[in-house]
């Protein structure tokens, strides 16, 4: 297994979880604009981190992919419902990454 830095790569799936979990002001304002409570970003980020860890472990990869797919589906629904299309590109990247992980399992 290759060495991974402790600092998340901003383009990696687990980094979205980190940014949601630490609840930056931008993340808080997005969640508030969508009508969600501010703590929801922290919970979502925690679930994203758990999903990334589960995907990284071969024994739990399918569970992690299912969790990741459910999170992405909810995010896509939220973005489309609120017509906040600027978030669709990053979500599309995560959909492709989960699909690649699913096909390589």
């Amino acid at each position: 297994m290759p060495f991974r830095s402790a600092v998340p790569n901003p383009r990696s799936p687990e980094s979205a979880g980190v940014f949601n979990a630490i609840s930056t002001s931008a993340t808080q304002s997005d969640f508030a604009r969508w009508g969600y409570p501010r703590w929801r970003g922290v919970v979502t980020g925690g679930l994203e981190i758990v999903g990334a860890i589960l995907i990284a472990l071969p024994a739990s990869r399918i569970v992690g992919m299912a969790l990741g797919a459910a999170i992405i589906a909810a995010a896509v629904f939220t973005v489309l419902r609120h017509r906040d299309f600027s978030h669709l590109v990053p979500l599309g990247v995560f959909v492709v990454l989960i699909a690649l992980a699913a096909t390589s399992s």
Side-chain angles (χ1 to χ4, degrees), residues 31-97:
F31 277 88
R33 187 174 67 249
W34 296 326
Y36 296 122
R38 293 191 182 275
W39 57 262
R40 177 124 181 209
V42 176
V43 172
T44 300
L47 290 172
E48 289 168 346
I49 292 168
V50 168
I53 291 168
L54 291 173
I55 290 170
L57 303 171
S60 59
R61 184 163 289 142
I62 292 181
V63 173
M65 287 186 290
L67 177 59
I71 292 166
I72 294 299
V76 168
F77 174 77
T78 295
V79 166
L80 291 175
R81 187 178 76 174
H82 293 280
R83 301 180 191 273
D84 198 354
F85 301 121
S86 65
H87 289 276
L88 282 178
V89 172
L91 290 173
V93 170
F94 291 130
V95 167
V96 168
L97 290 173

Side-chain angles (χ1 to χ4, degrees), residues 1-37:
M1 176 179 235
F3 172 76
R4 292 195 56 156
S5 170
V7 177
N9 177 339
R11 294 178 301 271
S12 67
E14 65 271 12
S15 69
V18 170
F19 286 109
N20 281 337
I22 61 173
S23 194
T24 65
S25 60
T27 301
Q28 287 180 359
S29 68
D30 283 342
F31 277 88
R33 187 174 67 249
W34 296 326
Y36 296 122

